[in-house]
Structure formats: C-alpha cells, structure tokens
DNA sequence: TTGCTCCTCACGTCACGTGAGGTGGC
DNA sequence: TTGCTCCTCACGTCACGTGAGGTGGC
C-alpha cells in the first residue's frame, strides 16, 4: 500500500536511507493519516489526492455525492439480500431450482400483470416456492387475477406462508390486513383457521367480514357472532344467513344460533334490520327457528309479520335460498 | 459483454456467419439469460460458470455465503453513510474541516475513554460540530468524564442538538431518556427549557428529578409540582427545597409554593415526609411560610412541632441551608 | 552465515469499457 | 459510395496483492 501510494504520488516519503529504504518523516505520517481518514469516507485515491492538494476542491458536493451513491448502494444491496433470502428459503438442491425461483421472483417484480400471473401458473408443482416472496407480493397485488394465482400458489405451499401472513395481519394499513386475510382463506390448515379467528377481532369491518365468511364456510362456530353482525349490518347478509343455516345443521349443539338471532332481533329497532334477521331465520332448520318465526307472525312491523308468515308457509326454505346464493357470479 | 463472455467461455455463440459475426442460437440465448439470472444474485462470472457447468456445485452454501457477505456489506455501507451524513451536517467548507470532524468521529467510536474525551476537548471552538453524532455518543456514554465533555460540546453547539435529544426523550429505554435529559440541562436555550418541561411528565422518576432540578435552577416555576414531589419522596429533597426557596424569591406571584407545600403536608401521613416538608418551608422566605410554620409548632407530631419551633427561632434560615448544599461535592 | 525486512519490476485481480484499425452487408 | 454494425487486438479501470529475484543491516 505504501509502495502504491508512493508510485501514485499520493504519499511520498521525504527521504530514502542509504540502503534505498523509504524514510517517512512526521509530516509524511500525518499525510498518510489524512489519506486514511478521507478513505473512511469512501473517497477514491484520486479524489483523496485532489482533496488534499487542490485548494479549489470543495468538500460539499463531493461529500453529498458520496452520501447519495452510498444510499443507492445500500438500497440495491438490500434488494439483493431479499432475493438471496427468498432463494435460500426454498433450500434449492440444484442450480435449476435456483434459476426457476429467480425467474419467478423477477416476474413477480415485473410491471406486467399477465407476466406475473403466467410465471405463477407455470410453476412446477414439485419445486418448493419462496413463500415469503409470495406473501410480500400478495400484500401489494392490485390485479385480482394475479392475486388469485398467488392465493392458489400459497394454498399449494400449505401453511408455510402463514407466519408472514400473521405478521401482515398486524399491519397498520387496513388494505394490507384485508389482503392478508383473503390470502389466508385460501389456506386450508388448522393454523389458517386459527389466524382467521384472530381476524374476527379486527378493527376493519372488511377484514372481519372476510374472516367470518371463510370460517363459516369451514363450519367454525366461532364465526357466528360476526355472521349475525353481518346480517344486522346488511353487509353480505344473504351469504352470512346461509352460513348460519349450515352451521346450525353441522354443529347444532355447540352454539345457539337461533338464540343469537333472537337477541339481535330484541336489540334491533329499525325495520330493515329486523326484516333481515327474520329472513335469516328462514335459513335455520329445526323447531327452534320455526317457533321464533311463529311469534314473529304477530310482530308490530307488518312487513316482518308478513315475511315470517310467508317463510312458515314454504316447504323447504333453506335449500331454495342457498342455491340462489351459489348461482351468484364471483361472490367477492 | 458478449465478447467478454465469449472469451471467458461462459457463453459461446454456437456458430459464426460467413462474415465472422457471432451467431447465437436459442440455446445460447437461454444460457445468456441463465447467466444474467444468477448474476442478479451476486455470483461472479466464475461462480456462474461453475454453477451452470459443474453438476457437483451445490447452491446451498454458495447462496448462504452470498447472503452473509451482503449483510456484512450493508452494515458497513450503513456505517459509512452515517459518517458521511455527520460530516455533511457540519457543512464543511474546506477539507481541513472534514479531517477534523472525521478525527472526532473516529475518536468517539474508539474504546478508550481518555481518547474520546481528549478529542472532544481539543476541538477548535470555531469549527462546527457534528451534533447528531455527539448526541448519539452521549446517549451511550458510560464514562462520566466523557459524558461531561460531550455536554460541554453540546452546550457549545447551542440548540442544534435539541431535535436529536427530543427524539431520544421518546426512547423506550429509561437510561437513554436519562442521558438525554442530562445532556439537555447543559443547553441554555428556551427550546431546551421547553424540552425539560416535557420531561417533567416522564414515567421514570430519575428523568423527572433531573428535569425538575434543572428547571428550578433556571427559575422556571413549571418545576414546582415535581420539586414538591421530590421533597415528599425524600429524593434530592434538600436541593429541591432550596430551589423552591429561590423560586419563591424570584417569582413570588406566579405560583403559590407555600400553598403547594401546605397541600402536600395535608396529604402526607407519615412522619418523615411531614418533617421534610416542614424543613422545606424553612427555605421559603416571607410571611406566608412563617405563618404555616407557626401553626406547625402545635403539630401532633412532636418532631415536626419542634423543628418548626427551631426554624422560627433562627434569624435567616434560608441562607444557611443554601450554602450547605452548595458545599456538596458533585451534586449529581 | 542466517534470517529478516525491505527494494524494484511485472503481472494478476474483476467485469467489463474504450479506442484503433479493419470489414461485411445495405 | 455512405453509414452502419460488427470484428479483433490491446490497453485502461480500481486499489492494491503477489510472486520473482535481489539487497542491506543485525
């Protein structure tokens, strides 16, 4: 290094011994330390020489430029690290696997929705997927088709994406939590169900709605209070009522759905809400629901009373309503 | 690049045209893309060639190593960026200034306390200081002498360190807040006083104590409730009482200190606390304090009554007590 | 005499970029 | 004929590191 600096003329020893050895005096050492100091700021040898020798060379812009370049380098190194960690997470055994993963990651970063989607759908089912990258992608995916492909891929990966989805469920941004809960509904594991249950307590009504509908679909009675809330609020109430109906078929003893609807009826004072709750009772099989409906035929609200009467007059109301819901195109 | 890869044997075109042009067939292009993919992971050309050509070359350890090195590079680039920002913040006009700042920054990072201290004390008073670096240093400085030198330097920089100190006052770590409040006491500006006032509401008693004593010293009556609290708690109570005394001398009308002590006496039920409050009253000049003391001569607690009697018998109790406190070595 | 440090000269590293001088196809 | 792209060969970049072969002082 000393020889190099000497050759460049950056730090020259003032003298030489009789044997030809370089002899550095105090001023040379000082200059050497100055060079080392500036080098810790990332200056090149040439910039260092100009800084020390050229009185016109001002530090402000050079230091500013160095900072800008360093920030840019950090950003790209950070991207590189994320890529490496995503690849590493799939524990590839051959470079072929690495190439497939890199191709997928690059496609996911691309601006073209069809490219993103195509890369996802063309994945070999036997290769393991970079689930954290998929979760990251699904949390910022605007294109519903690509989001669908991501859900499918995450479902294929089983529960391996759930830790990242659970973390996303703690996000401050409601949109992120919504996308997380939607992705979670695609995963059919007990852990996914547990995560959906936690989402029932979310502040955002959309998050709660999606969690409740997904849990209801899994026959999970933990969804019942939120499903009743949906009927009350008139949000996705037909589907919610339908799910309450099948829940009381599959788990009749564990939870009193008729009781919950009755409580909601007692608490509701506006006519449309009471009508929705009455219609929901039509979905519930068994004597308990019919009993409540019978009482409702004498309700003060004539629409409610009339609806209750009509429901009781039908032979098999549940099956009819359910098939109607199933015919809806894209219920989301 | 194509010529380079050709020469290295990394990507060779299958054929040549009659004119000698390189002719890449589909497989060559594919290989080129594979090379590009692996290069986005940070592999060197040589590693890329081995990965694509050597079936024994396993990806796991290479990818792991790349990730480790990338993390190390990010860390050192981050350090570099911090240094650059500290230098940039001082807006140096000449490289001499830059060298001085870098010398100071390197000394502050050194493990030797005396080196840190010496670098601080030898700073030319005319050069501007990297205040954020000083604040960063003071928040993690264990050596009280170095901390003192840092306080002195921050005081010299006026209020420029206050934004960083204010941020540190929001830290979760009580020790950081303590160091921040201590550094703030060295700064004699209105902004520093405002920051100390906010520290009066801190959860940590030490933070409150230091803020209150510093504010009292500045004649700020906002400190009164906390100073009374200190007397009640028996923590730094002699100094607190002394400051209450001088506050009632300098700002007698703005705040009723005697009233505050009286309220504390009414609320306190244990003997030592009532005694400390009685002694504090000795520091307060004027008829109001003497009146309360006169009433206390008939107190149920005989020690309190005796002390009140003794205080009233003295000619100039305030001055005596104050000079005693001033004789303490290192009141902190 | 034996290690030891220093010397010079020259080449290697890494992934290209950049001329100089020349050529093939429109 | 005129641009244009491509070709090869060779050198430069950046901050040193690494031998090879030699030498001075203990």
């Amino acid at each position: 290094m000393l020889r190099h600096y000497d050759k460049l003329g950056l730090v020259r020893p003032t003298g030489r011994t009789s044997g030809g050895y370089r002899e550095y005096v105090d001023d040379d050492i000082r200059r050497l330390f100055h060079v080392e100091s500036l080098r810790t700021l990332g200056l090149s040898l040439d910039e260092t020489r100009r800084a020390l020798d050229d009185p016109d060379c001002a530090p402000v812009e050079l230091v500013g430029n160095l900072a800008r370049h360093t920030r840019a380098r950090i950003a790209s190194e950070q991207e590189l690290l994320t890529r490496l960690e995503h690849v590493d997470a799939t524990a590839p055994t051959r470079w072929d696997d690495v190439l497939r993963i890199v191709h997928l990651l690059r496609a996911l970063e691309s601006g073209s929705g069809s490219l993103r989607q195509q890369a996802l759908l063309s994945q070999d089912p036997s290769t393991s997927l970079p689930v954290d990258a998929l979760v990251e992608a699904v949390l910022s995916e605007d294109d519903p088709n690509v989001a669908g492909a991501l859900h499918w891929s995450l479902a294929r990966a089983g529960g391996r994406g759930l830790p990242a989805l659970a973390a996303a469920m703690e996000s401050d941004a409601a949109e992120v939590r919504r996308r997380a809960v939607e992705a979670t509904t695609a995963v059919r594991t007990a852990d996914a169900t547990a995560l959906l249950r936690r989402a029932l307590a979310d502040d955002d009504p959309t998050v709660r709605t999606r969690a409740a509908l997904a849990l209801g679909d899994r026959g999970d009675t933990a969804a019942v209070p939120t499903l009743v809330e949906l009927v009350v609020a008139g949000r996705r109430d037909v589907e919610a009522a339908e799910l309450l109906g099948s829940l009381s078929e599959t788990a009749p003893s564990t939870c009193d759905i008729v009781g919950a609807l009755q409580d909601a009826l007692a608490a509701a004072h506006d006519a449309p809400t009471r009508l929705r709750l009455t219609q929901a009772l039509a979905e519930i099989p068994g004597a308990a629901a019919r009993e409540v409906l019978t009482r409702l035929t004498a309700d003060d609200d004539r629409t409610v009373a009339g609806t209750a009467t009509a429901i009781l007059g039908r032979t098999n109301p549940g099956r009819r309503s359910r098939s109607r819901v199933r015919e809806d195109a894209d219920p989301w």
Side-chain angles (χ1 to χ4, degrees), chain A:
Chain A
M1 188 199 55
L2 291 174
R3 283 189 277 274
H4 191 58
Y5 289 0
D6 186 0
K7 186 151 59 178
L8 294 182
L10 183 57
V11 185
R12 302 221 113 122
T14 303
R16 291 278 180 142
T17 66
S18 56
Y21 288 17
R22 290 176 179 78
E23 209 166 28
Y24 291 89
V25 301
D26 281 2
D27 270 355
D28 300 334
I29 307 290
R30 232 187 305 283
R31 180 158 172 110
L32 196 58
F33 282 151
H34 287 172
V35 168
E36 288 303 277
S37 276
L38 294 185
R39 297 235 62 210
T40 66
L41 294 181
L43 275 78
S44 70
L45 294 182
D46 201 51
E47 288 166 335
T48 305
R49 193 166 40 74
R50 279 204 296 274
L52 293 176
D53 297 340
D54 180 359
D56 293 340
C57 177
V60 261
E61 50 184 308
L62 187 46
V63 170
N65 271 332
L66 286 169
R68 253 191 307 285
H69 284 135
T70 306
R71 269 187 283 269
R73 274 198 315 273
I74 289 173
S76 66
E77 294 274 13
Q78 191 55 63
E79 268 183 48
L80 167 61
L81 180 58
T82 307
R83 264 198 303 278
L84 284 169
E85 284 174 339
H86 285 158
V87 170
D88 202 37
T90 66
T93 53
R94 302 190 315 146
W95 285 101
D96 276 11
D97 304 333
V98 174
L99 285 169
R100 264 192 284 276
I101 300 303
V102 171
H103 175 247
L104 176 60
L105 292 175
R106 295 178 81 174
L108 286 178
E109 283 164 15
S110 100
S112 148
S114 62
L115 218 148
R116 295 199 291 279
Q117 189 177 2
Q118 208 245 317
L120 284 162
L121 299 180
S122 67
Q123 282 301 302
D124 184 330
S126 68
T127 53
S128 81
L129 292 165
V131 279
D132 284 353
L134 296 181
V135 169
E136 218 170 274
V138 85
L139 296 177
S140 60
E141 182 58 64
D142 289 327
D143 185 323
N145 293 321
V146 182
L150 284 163
H151 294 163
W152 177 78
S153 299
L154 281 169
R156 204 156 71 65
R160 289 188 299 116
L162 287 174
L165 287 170
M169 282 300 302
E170 308 291 318
S171 165
D172 286 337
E175 186 60 31
V176 169
R177 300 203 303 280
R178 281 180 213 140
R179 286 168 170 169
V181 78
E182 196 139 356
T184 307
T185 62
V187 183
R188 296 270 165 180
T189 67
D191 282 349
T193 304
L195 185 53
L196 289 172
R197 279 191 194 165
R198 270 158 56 197
L200 289 173
D202 200 280
D203 285 339
D204 184 74
T206 308
V207 172
R208 288 200 302 276
T209 303
R210 290 175 181 175
L213 293 174
L215 284 170
D217 198 45
R218 287 168 198 218
D220 189 326
T221 53
V224 168
T226 310
L227 289 172
V228 172
E229 185 193 311
L230 291 180
V231 174
V232 168
R235 194 171 54 239
R236 310 286 287 268
D237 51 301
V238 177
E239 286 159 86
E242 141 87 11
L243 288 168
L244 286 170
S246 47
L247 280 173
S248 48
E249 265 174 31
T250 55
S253 60
T254 53
C255 138
D256 185 3
I257 292 172
V258 173
L261 288 169
Q262 222 174 336
D263 290 351
L265 266 166
H269 294 301
D270 65 308
T273 302
R274 305 192 80 241
L275 185 59
R276 281 194 301 277
L277 288 163
T278 306
Q279 286 169 324
L281 280 165
E283 304 290 335
I284 319 293
R290 295 185 74 83
E291 201 173 295
V292 178
L293 284 167
T294 306
R295 247 176 292 143
L296 284 171
T297 56
D299 198 81
D300 286 346
D301 185 316
R302 277 167 49 183
T303 318
V304 169
T307 303
T309 309
I311 291 164
L312 289 170
R314 289 205 309 247
T315 19
N316 194 350
R319 175 101 40 98
R320 266 235 316 269
S321 156
R322 221 169 300 164
S323 65
R324 177 167 54 78
V325 171
R326 292 244 169 90
E327 276 156 22
D328 283 358
D330 188 10
W332 296 97

